[in-house]
Amino acid sequence: MHSSFELKNYHFIAVLSFLTLLLAFNQLWVIEGDGDSIVYATVSKTIAESGNWLTPTYNFRLFFDHPPLLLWVNALLFKIFGFEEWVPRLFTGISGLGAVLLVFYIENRYANQYTWFLAGISLLLSYDFIQMLNKNRMEIPLLFLYICGLYGFLRGIEGDKKGFYLSGIFAGLAFLTKGIVSAGIFIISFILIFDLKKVSLLKRKEIWLFILISLLIPATFFIAQYHVNGEEFFKKYFFGQVFQSIKEGPNPSSPFYYLGYILVVYLPWLPFFLHGIVITLRDGEKHPLWRMTLFWCAVIFISFSIASSKRHYYLLPMFPAMSLLTGRSLDRLLTEGKKLIFFRVIVLICVSASLFLAISPIPLHRNSYPEIYKMAPYLKEVLTENDLIISYRNREGISTPSFYLINDKLKIEYCYKPEELQELIKNNKTKRIILCTSDKNVEDNPKIIEGFFPFIENNGLRFYSNDPNVKPSGHIY
């Protein structure tokens, strides 16, 4: 006896959407975040409050670490929903949902419906995707814009002229998200043209409009910045951030760093991904989608492997291509009956695991600065906007609570040398000074706390004041 129930596309979409949103917005009661997430949220809050959308600032200084798209979107969301901790997660979560569903849709055009679903699941349940889906970071929006840009170009090659225009828009937005990393969209697209022997496309105006649109979007921002901030913007952004990170980078590693990384973090999908590469290379017919996925993986992997700076999440823009190849492999390996069984097992496991992680007390993300979060409610009773807060060799840790738990208008100075600290103290004798540093720093140089009195500590991170009367009413750790 056969079941009369037949799975439709909307069943797959509903499951993928439910799982993605569950992982993106789990544990909303937990007020935690990594340093970058809270810095970006703080900048967005300042934009929303000040109304200065062109020149972002952080801690009263110009903030040109990254292009502004994430900051602008979050500032707009703050205007709509208010200054709540969960609001900066919205853009990343919705971008993640869009990425998963777009992988499903693209695979939908070329394969079996179970394969569409498994391609989306292999993206959703990859380690770094889960890690970044719940954070206020630029990686997931960039990944989503990468898929949109490259898929738009693919549609253009297949005859849809609007695809080229849309690809240009998404490539431009990708540049406004994370700068030069978006160049991969151009490189992959033009390699595909030559590989498919469609060089004649370069004579079409749509291709050049694609390039023009993608350059005009970020150029508008850069021209406006130059008009307002002059050479300072170019010095801080292009020379201080872009060129410096390419030349040296904060985290240099071996050229083989990402090879070992892929072998570990893409389990259990790795064998299927590798098989997908093999069958695509063996194809006699050069299918535009599958050739694009090969170049997509190769360009991202090689580019970041030869770059000086390496972090595990830098490869995220290539994960959609990996998922598409994984889906293609599963389509070849599984019979129709096995695909249905595999689908049911995966759904059961994923729903159960996602529900457990979303409602259990087990944290999905490590809090980088637990000491600050525990002390923050008590610091809120003490710190005022008139205080000078000095962070001595503890830059990110002190900035972490300034947005949600204390006051984003606090003035914080950072210093790394004892003479810099003494100079700050000497020039601000009339102010109440709050000094934050670790016990290890004090052990190395006890003179840095001369004239200061400790008032709160947790796990080796301690706050001092030049006012002996500073005492929080709450529990002192």
Side-chain angles (χ1 to χ4, degrees), residues 157-441:
I157 286 179
E158 293 176 342
D160 185 353
K161 294 181 181 180
K162 296 190 295 293
F164 289 125
Y165 306 143
L166 290 173
S167 181
I169 292 172
F170 289 120
L173 293 175
F175 198 102
L176 278 184
T177 302
K178 211 166 182 183
I180 197 67
V181 178
S182 64
I185 296 176
F186 298 96
I187 298 170
I188 296 163
S189 299
F190 283 96
I191 290 176
L192 183 65
I193 285 178
F194 285 97
D195 179 70
L196 297 176
K197 297 180 180 179
K198 293 192 175 185
V199 183
S200 59
L201 285 173
L202 297 177
K203 298 178 181 179
R204 292 172 53 179
K205 65 178 182 180
E206 292 84 9
I207 290 287
W208 298 104
L209 284 173
F210 152 70
I211 298 173
L212 181 63
I213 292 169
S214 61
L215 294 177
L216 276 178
I217 291 174
T220 303
F221 170 72
F222 292 142
I223 292 170
Q225 278 290 359
Y226 183 75
H227 178 72
V228 173
N229 297 301
E231 293 182 3
E232 184 177 7
F233 167 71
F234 283 92
K235 287 179 180 178
K236 287 189 174 181
Y237 179 69
F238 286 105
F239 295 102
Q241 292 293 326
V242 177
F243 295 144
Q244 194 66 21
S245 63
I246 293 173
K247 182 181 177 182
E248 297 178 3
N251 188 27
S253 300
S254 162
F256 303 105
Y257 170 82
Y258 288 120
L259 182 60
Y261 159 78
I262 288 292
L263 294 176
V264 174
V265 302
Y266 203 58
L267 293 173
W269 312 106
L270 181 64
F272 306 112
F273 165 57
L274 297 176
H275 180 247
I277 292 176
V278 171
I279 59 178
T280 301
L281 289 172
R282 287 179 175 176
D283 271 351
E285 178 186 357
K286 290 185 175 182
H287 191 287
L289 172 64
W290 305 123
R291 300 298 292 183
M292 173 177 275
T293 57
L294 289 180
F295 302 135
W296 190 340
C297 291
V299 168
I300 300 295
F301 186 84
I302 294 172
S303 298
F304 284 111
S305 292
I306 62 178
S308 298
S309 178
K310 294 179 176 65
R311 297 192 185 278
H312 60 92
Y313 50 81
Y314 284 179
L315 286 191
L316 265 173
M318 88 178 228
F319 274 43
M322 296 170 67
S323 300
L324 290 167
L325 289 168
T326 298
R328 190 180 193 203
S329 168
L330 290 167
D331 185 50
R332 289 283 186 92
L333 293 174
L334 299 176
T335 63
E336 291 302 310
K338 288 182 179 179
K339 286 172 185 173
L340 178 58
I341 295 171
F342 197 68
F343 166 75
R344 289 172 174 171
V345 171
I346 288 289
V347 168
L348 179 62
I349 293 173
C350 291
V351 171
S352 301
S354 299
L355 281 172
F356 173 75
L357 291 171
I359 65 176
S360 76
I362 299 175
L364 287 182
H365 308 286
R366 181 178 66 87
N367 181 4
S368 302
Y369 311 105
E371 298 83 12
I372 284 286
Y373 279 100
K374 289 181 180 178
M375 291 188 286
Y378 307 104
L379 291 171
K380 190 173 184 178
E381 303 171 2
V382 174
L383 303 183
T384 71
E385 295 173 18
N386 295 321
D387 294 331
L388 172 63
I389 302 167
I390 302 176
S391 175
Y392 180 70
R393 295 189 176 184
N394 188 49
R395 183 179 180 87
E396 283 192 322
I398 184 64
S399 69
T400 298
S402 65
F403 172 58
Y404 302 119
L405 302 180
I406 303 180
N407 184 346
D408 67 299
K409 294 183 174 65
L410 295 175
K411 178 71 174 180
I412 305 173
E413 293 286 351
Y414 306 101
C415 60
Y416 294 89
K417 298 178 181 179
E419 53 268 29
E420 294 174 346
L421 174 61
Q422 294 306 316
E423 186 70 18
L424 280 171
I425 294 171
K426 179 181 177 181
N427 294 336
N428 294 277
K429 287 184 177 180
T430 60
K431 288 187 176 182
R432 188 175 75 167
I433 298 175
I434 306 296
L435 174 64
C436 170
T437 192
S438 68
D439 289 347
K440 177 66 168 60
N441 290 331

Side-chain angles (χ1 to χ4, degrees), residues 40-57 63 68-76 78-79 83 408:
Y40 301 152
T42 305
V43 176
S44 296
K45 183 172 185 279
T46 304
I47 291 172
E49 289 182 329
S50 68
N52 185 352
W53 293 79
L54 181 60
T55 306
T57 60
F63 184 81
L69 185 65
L70 176 76
L71 309 176
W72 286 344
V73 173
N74 282 338
L76 181 62
F78 279 136
K79 288 262 188 192
F83 301 112
D408 67 299

Side-chain angles (χ1 to χ4, degrees), residues 16 127 131 170 250 294 303 464 476:
L16 287 172
Y127 173 79
Q131 284 290 304
F170 289 120
L294 289 180
S303 298
Y464 302 81
I476 300 178

